[in-house]
Amino acid sequence: LAEAAARAADAPTLYGAPGVAPGIGESARAAFDADGVPDGPVAVTSGALDAIERVLAAHLRPGDAVAVEDPGWGSVLDLIPALGLRTVPVGVDDDGPLPEGVERALRRGARALVVTDRAQNPTGAAVSAARARELRAVLAGHPGVVLIEDDHGHGIVDLPLHPLAGSTDHWILVRSTAKAYGPDLRLAVLTGDAVTLDRLRGRQRLGPGWVSHLLQDAVTHLWRTGAVDVAAVAASYDVRRDALVRALRERGVAAHGRSGMNVWVPVSDETGAVARLLSSGWAVAPGARFRVASGPGLRLTVSPLSAGEVAGVADAVASAVVRGPAPAGRVD
């Protein structure tokens, strides 16, 4: 921030300046290129959800349907009806959205699809290379669908990105800085087709105008100085998440968590399991916050968890979960 302030003192940003500061635009585009994201202009928004809302509003109208992962990010599930749109759930496994579910949703008229590339919230799914090929083939048959990719795992995950971008006429891929640098740094970068980015930036000018260049320059400084060791961060999450998934499975509890900071545990009694865990000293997120038609579950977040606590958490979850046939955590 001191670096950004010094730069602002020398050349303050005034009305009429470009919405994207040169430094962040160049750095973001280089990172997109390195990950095989198709060429396109760059925009900056106040977080990933801001970008998603603006793109949905730019292309869709009240009553239109949006295909979303189920279980999926609760904020997106809340945003869609808030915009007057309809939610169409698509099942998820460890490799991302199920192609047959996506195909069915698009055939039923969904005009947009939201996909989390890596570190999916809440299941930890990550789109694999094989799944990406299948999804691109499905999307190629529906070129009019608006594709929104959320790569919020950028900067905290070491699994490679397998983008779907460019499979349809209108698309974006957005990367938030919240997970790598903290949620109060309200900034995300995105790229996409020229029409979509023009509409987004045009509407942005009629609201906040632009994202503060102080924040943009601060993020550029963080990126260029390597302030976050991505490999170390990813390894830290991997060790704790994998240990928890393994410990749960050893205790007969089904668990999912291929990437990122969350573990998803399908259960048969969500409310009872949450209450029993709370009484034993552990707070978990009830799955109702993240699902539409999929079965009940629990979201466990490993970010505050130490290696020495894994066994205790696994014991508590195993004791709290009602045994018997549990939902698979997906909807077909």
Side-chain angles (χ1 to χ4, degrees):
L1 286 169
E3 175 75 16
R7 183 172 303 179
D10 290 337
T13 300
L14 303 175
Y15 291 108
V20 179
I24 200 168
E26 295 164 2
S27 296
R29 188 62 257 176
F32 287 135
D33 291 342
D35 283 332
V37 180
D39 191 28
V42 171
V44 179
T45 58
S46 298
L49 198 64
D50 183 35
I52 293 170
E53 177 179 3
R54 292 181 185 282
V55 170
L56 290 174
H59 283 289
L60 275 60
R61 297 293 178 267
D64 287 342
V66 182
V68 294
E69 299 158 335
D70 183 24
W73 186 19
S75 294
V76 167
L77 298 182
D78 291 340
L79 173 65
I80 290 170
L83 293 174
L85 306 172
R86 294 183 292 113
T87 301
V88 180
V90 172
V92 179
D93 65 12
D94 291 339
D95 291 328
L98 301 172
E100 60 270 26
V102 173
E103 176 67 45
R104 185 161 49 249
L106 300 187
R107 285 188 179 277
R108 290 176 178 175
R111 294 199 54 214
L113 169 67
V114 183
V115 175
T116 310
D117 291 305
R118 302 177 283 189
Q120 198 256 14
N121 186 2
T123 70
V127 176
S128 64
R131 180 60 52 82
R133 287 193 295 271
E134 294 177 286
L135 292 173
R136 283 195 292 266
V138 170
L139 289 166
H142 302 271
V145 167
V146 179
L147 170 65
I148 297 173
E149 287 186 88
D150 180 7
D151 187 27
H152 84 108
H154 176 69
I156 63 167
V157 175
D158 56 3
L159 291 177
L161 175 71
H162 299 292
L164 310 178
S167 302
T168 59
D169 294 338
H170 300 300
W171 60 273
I172 67 160
L173 191 147
V174 58
R175 287 173 163 172
S176 170
T177 60
K179 298 302 182 293
Y181 301 102
D184 198 36
L185 192 59
R186 306 308 303 154
L187 188 144
V189 296
L190 65 144
T191 187
D193 69 279
V195 170
T196 298
L197 269 288
D198 280 348
R199 291 182 181 181
L200 181 148
R201 291 181 297 196
R203 183 63 183 87
Q204 189 180 39
R205 282 195 293 272
L206 297 176
W210 66 89
V211 174
S212 167
H213 281 219
L214 286 168
L215 289 183
Q216 295 190 44
D217 289 344
V219 169
T220 302
H221 182 74
L222 291 169
W223 283 346
R224 290 181 175 176
T225 59
V228 168
D229 185 335
V230 176
V233 171
S236 177
Y237 284 132
D238 288 350
V239 167
R240 288 174 288 159
R241 186 194 65 251
D242 293 347
L244 181 57
V245 170
R246 184 167 57 251
L248 288 168
R249 290 175 178 173
E250 289 171 353
R251 289 159 176 77
V253 177
H256 301 272
R258 184 164 175 248
S259 63
M261 62 185 69
N262 296 313
V263 172
W264 179 256
V265 178
V267 298
S268 50
D269 177 13
E270 184 176 296
T271 302
V274 170
R276 285 187 287 272
L277 278 165
L278 191 59
S279 68
S280 66
W282 297 103
V284 301
R289 178 76 177 83
F290 309 98
R291 55 189 179 85
V292 179
S294 58
L298 309 175
R299 190 195 72 177
L300 284 62
T301 300
V302 302
S303 50
L305 194 66
S306 69
E309 293 174 316
V310 168
V313 172
D315 286 339
V317 172
S319 297
V321 171
V322 177
R323 299 304 176 91
R330 54 179 263 189
V331 57
D332 293 332

